[in-house]
C-alpha cells in the first residue's frame, strides 16, 4: 500500500514540477482532519460519540460489577456448596462472563460503525464543498495535506474556507 502511495505521490510531484503544468495550474491544499475536528458538525459528532461511549461504558461497568459480585459470593461459598449447587454457580458465572464479553464486543462494534458512518458522511460533505470551491476559485487540483504535503503556503490552504462553508 505504501508503495502505491509513494508511486502516486512521485507521479504527482513529477506532474506538478513540469513547467507547463506549473504555469497553467492552480493548486490548493486542505486539512480534512482539521475540518472534522473544527467544524460544528464534527464537534457535534464528537460530542454524540462521547455520550454514546459513556453510556456504553456505564452499561459495561454495571454488568462487570454484577459479575464481580457473583464471583465474590461464589468464592466465599464454594467450599460449602454441594457438587450440583457448585456447578450451577459456576455455570452462572461462565454465562455472565460470556454476556459481559458479548456486550463489550457489541458496544465496541456499534461505536466503531457509528463513528465510521458519521465521519464518512462528513467527508462526503467536505468533498462536495471542495469540488464547488475548486470550481468557483479555479483550482485545478486540491491535495489533502496529510497525504505527503510537507509544506504549503497559507495562501493555497482552503481548510478554513471549507470549515466556514460546512458551518453555514
Amino acid at each position: 500500500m505504501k508503495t502505491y502511495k509513494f508511486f502516486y505521490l512521485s507521479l504527482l510531484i513529477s506532474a506538478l514540477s513540469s513547467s507547463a503544468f506549473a504555469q497553467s495550474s492552480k493548486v490548493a491544499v486542505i486539512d480534512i482532519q482539521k475540518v472534522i475536528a473544527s467544524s460544528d458538525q464534527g464537534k457535534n459528532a464528537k460530542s454524540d460519540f462521547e455520550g454514546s461511549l459513556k453510556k456504553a461504558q456505564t452499561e459495561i461497568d454495571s454488568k462487570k460489577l454484577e459479575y464481580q459480585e457473583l464471583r465474590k459470593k461464589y468464592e466465599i461459598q464454594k467450599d460449602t456448596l454441594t457438587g450440583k449447587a457448585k456447578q450451577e454457580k459456576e455455570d452462572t458465572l461462565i454465562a455472565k462472563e460470556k454476556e459481559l464479553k458479548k456486550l463489550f464486543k457489541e458496544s465496541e462494534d456499534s461505536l466503531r460503525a457509528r463513528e465510521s458512518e458519521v465521519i464518512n458522511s462528513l467527508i462526503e460533505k467536505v468533498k462536495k464543498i471542495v469540488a464547488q470551491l475548486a470550481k468557483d476559485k479555479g483550482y485545478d487540483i486540491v491535495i489533502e495535506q496529510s497525504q505527503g504535503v510537507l509544506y504549503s503556503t497559507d495562501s493555497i490552504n482552503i481548510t478554513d474556507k471549507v470549515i466556514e462553508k460546512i458551518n453555514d
Side-chain angles (χ1 to χ4, degrees):
M1 186 72 171
K2 287 187 177 189
T3 306
Y4 290 119
K5 282 185 178 181
F6 180 73
F7 173 74
Y8 289 120
L9 186 58
S10 298
L11 188 62
L12 178 63
I13 290 170
S14 296
L16 291 174
S17 64
S18 84
S19 60
F21 184 84
Q23 289 176 349
S24 65
S25 298
K26 197 170 175 186
V27 178
V29 294
I30 182 170
D31 183 347
I32 290 182
Q33 293 302 318
K34 182 178 176 183
V35 172
I36 291 171
S38 301
S39 68
D40 293 342
Q41 290 179 355
K43 289 176 185 176
N44 290 339
K46 182 179 179 187
S47 177
D48 290 347
F49 179 78
E50 288 171 351
S52 296
L53 179 63
K54 189 174 182 176
K55 181 180 175 187
Q57 188 63 49
T58 300
E59 186 177 357
I60 289 168
D61 289 345
S62 172
K63 294 286 184 184
K64 185 177 179 182
L65 184 62
E66 184 181 318
Y67 169 77
Q68 288 172 336
E69 287 174 2
L70 281 173
R71 181 98 186 147
K72 189 176 182 180
K73 285 180 185 177
Y74 169 76
E75 291 297 326
I76 292 170
Q77 298 173 348
K78 75 178 179 181
D79 293 332
T80 61
L81 294 173
T82 63
K84 185 177 180 181
K86 188 175 184 178
Q87 187 61 47
E88 286 176 4
K89 296 271 186 188
E90 288 173 356
D91 291 344
T92 301
L93 280 172
I94 290 169
K96 289 287 184 185
E97 185 177 12
K98 285 181 181 178
E99 181 183 324
L100 181 61
K101 287 179 180 179
K102 181 181 177 187
L103 176 63
F104 181 80
K105 175 94 170 89
E106 287 174 351
S107 296
E108 184 178 50
D109 291 347
S110 174
L111 287 169
R112 275 199 182 124
R114 179 71 181 131
E115 180 183 37
S116 179
E117 178 184 312
V118 168
I119 287 174
N120 288 338
S121 172
L122 192 54
I123 288 173
E124 286 304 312
K125 289 177 184 177
V126 169
K127 284 180 181 179
K128 289 178 183 175
I129 290 170
V130 167
Q132 187 61 50
L133 192 59
K135 186 177 176 183
D136 293 347
K137 300 290 184 178
Y139 295 116
D140 296 306
I141 187 169
V142 178
I143 303 169
E144 210 292 311
Q145 195 164 1
S146 69
Q147 297 300 313
V149 176
L150 299 177
Y151 173 79
S152 65
T153 63
D154 289 340
S155 65
I156 66 168
N157 191 317
I158 61 170
T159 303
D160 291 335
K161 292 175 187 170
V162 172
I163 292 171
E164 286 175 26
K165 288 199 176 280
I166 208 166
N167 286 343
D168 285 343

